[in-house]
Amino acid sequence: MATPLYDRYLSVEKRKRRLVSWARLSVLAAFLLLWELAARWGWIDSMLTSKPSQIVTSFRELVVDGNLFKHVGITSLETLAGIVISMTLGTSIAVLFWWSSFVSKVLEPYIVVLNALPKVALGPIFYIWLGDRYSIYGMAVAISIIVTIIMVESGFREISKTKLKLMESFGATRSQMLRMVLLPASIPHFIATLKVNVGLTLVGVVMGEFLSSKAGLGYLIIYGGQVFQMTLVMVSITMLALLSAILYGFVSLLERMARRRYSPEG
């Protein structure tokens, strides 16, 4: 039974969350208002920085033309494909490293070097190898797969070795330990890796679109900069922010579902 003290605590926590939400909205509204007024009063050159009212107008025009949804859809598809490929390959390689300590010791220095390598330098190589379309997927996977391997493998190492030794003492094979202990216990690490990959893969997609694409939000940003249409650039950046927020929210939903399913009470 809930006590008055506990009810008071819940009420205070709800007020804090509402206050934080209102503060966030207020900061965003104040920033947009200041931006709009600064452009109208001549404090900044709206030709160089655009302004919120112009962005809204340009957004409406792109929606009516149907071009915006086309470019957003292309970038979304490339990002989702990059996340799926990098998570699948990265997790498979991490499992291989866990399965064979010899392979892990041999390849670990290369993983470290690849992680430190600026991935944008690989753009021309992917363009030559994969062409203008698939090089975007190559950039997306190149940026996120190394982080996936490192984070998932680190999660494997944090799993209690006592449980694995106990299963081994009962005659469990490596495959059984992987299926019954390692992978289920690594769900939180998979979710954390997904959260990181949302941003990294989107960065890789946009970088790939900068280099070779003829469609997508990255292409719109480059095109807008070339023809000096900063409003188009700002609309594209805003859509990228919304896309990343939607993807992150989807991963957060998966996290809540996983917690309910794999919690000790469940």
Side-chain angles (χ1 to χ4, degrees), residues 129-194:
W129 287 354
L130 304 175
D132 60 346
R133 184 62 182 164
Y134 292 105
S135 62
I136 299 172
Y137 298 98
M139 284 297 301
V141 173
I143 285 182
S144 55
I145 189 172
I146 303 301
V147 173
T148 301
I149 295 171
I150 293 173
M151 292 186 66
V152 173
E153 184 187 11
S154 176
F156 286 170
R157 290 176 179 175
E158 293 178 10
I159 303 301
S160 175
K161 293 183 178 180
T162 305
K163 295 180 180 179
L164 298 177
K165 287 293 183 182
L166 180 61
M167 290 194 66
E168 188 176 3
S169 66
F170 281 105
T173 63
R174 298 284 283 181
S175 176
Q176 289 173 330
M177 288 188 286
L178 177 67
R179 294 196 321 269
M180 298 179 182
V181 176
L182 204 67
L183 292 179
S186 299
I187 294 297
H189 297 286
F190 292 147
I191 298 298
T193 305
L194 262 178

Side-chain angles (χ1 to χ4, degrees), residues 1 37 64 72-73 82 105 135 137 149 172 197 199 236 248 261:
M1 179 181 295
L37 293 178
V64 172
V72 171
K105 291 176 182 178
S135 62
Y137 298 98
I149 295 171
N197 273 349
S236 303
Y248 189 86
R261 180 170 182 178

Side-chain angles (χ1 to χ4, degrees), residues 234-245:
M234 293 297 183
V235 170
S236 303
I237 292 174
T238 302
M239 295 308 300
L240 280 175
L242 289 175
L243 177 59
S244 62

